[in-house]
Amino acid sequence: MSTIIWTDGRLEAAPHRQISLWNHSFHYGYGAFEGIRSYNVAGKSQVFMLEKHLDRLWTSCDEIGLTPNTTREAIADAVHEVLWANEFVDAYIRPIVFLGDGLGTLRDSRPIHTAVLAWQWDAKEENGRAFKLGISRYRRPDPQSYPSFAKATGNYLLSKTATLWATENGYDDAVLLDHEGFVSEASAQNLFMVLDGNLITPPESRCLKGITRATVIQSARSEGLEVHERNIAPAELLNADEVFLTSTASEVLPVESVDGQPTRQSEHQPVTKLLAQKYKDITENLTSPAGSK
Ligand code: PMP
């Protein structure tokens, strides 16, 4: 069965939908997207934090001056329709707002399209495996001069380049610093360090406003841990008791070393394990919001 996708209000078989070489977003990296998970809860797919992802999609579009050609409700329905049409239960869902053909000038701002794609999400090879991070020379640009923290397609040039750098240098992923040299995040995950039983993570002004990050902060506080959102100097990572990453795709991902130096609790990582388990508990017990299909 070929994958079914949703574009501009219609479900269609993915192979019938092609982007032309004249596509504006393809050339200029101009678009905004989301990465959403649905989980198998008692055999039914439950989409996690859909409203928060739609909020962020709208904020990202706003930051890059892109007006979606559809409504939040239409995308929310499309997410469910694509899951049903493909019979996906555990899945990764990717709504994307982008421009179609038109390479005349950078002023072109039409036609606007929205698509919702999804793919089956089986356990990934990194599940449970601790990551080796390397501090990359690539930095997130100054948010004053670039929409650094919109979830915009063009921003992933940096994430992609840093990931390639990490792989070539024997790391699993890169730590990106921000324009002032403080820790920002990994290529597509937020970063936390644990010091003396408390969590420290860069403030939202220095990283993508991660939805998993917010969930983990809430769980940590409910467990009585202190969470400090403050600037982190790269050298502090080398002295952390534990480091972990968070994202919709990789959930709570332990880190075993930074720049080749193991974190002090790299063997046991009690706080990371506790928060990973709390996250698992949340996703295993999702229920449909009232009124949803
Ligand atoms: N930072 C970046 C750059 C990302 O691409 C992602 C993935 N969306 C994250 C952090 C984590 O965000 P979330 O927890 O919302 O998936």
Side-chain angles (χ1 to χ4, degrees), residues 187-199:
S187 61
Q189 299 97 352
N190 290 111
L191 183 147
F192 287 80
M193 65 179 198
V194 182
L195 204 55
D196 300 328
N198 297 317
L199 295 192

Side-chain angles (χ1 to χ4, degrees), residues 56 140 151 156 185 187-190 208 210-212 247-248:
R56 191 170 62 188
R140 293 253 175 244
K151 199 162 167 62
Y156 285 82
E185 56 190 342
S187 61
Q189 299 97 352
N190 290 111
L208 185 80
I211 293 167
T212 320
S247 75
T248 299

Side-chain angles (χ1 to χ4, degrees), residues 142-193:
D142 184 344
Q144 299 284 347
S145 62
Y146 198 80
S148 321
F149 302 122
K151 199 162 167 62
T153 56
N155 288 356
Y156 285 82
L157 171 62
L158 179 59
S159 293
K160 171 86 191 167
T161 310
T163 306
L164 291 178
W165 167 86
T167 311
E168 276 163 18
N169 287 280
Y171 302 117
D172 297 301
D173 207 336
V175 177
L176 292 154
L177 306 184
D178 68 12
H179 63 294
E180 293 181 321
F182 292 108
V183 172
S184 172
E185 56 190 342
S187 61
Q189 299 97 352
N190 290 111
L191 183 147
F192 287 80
M193 65 179 198

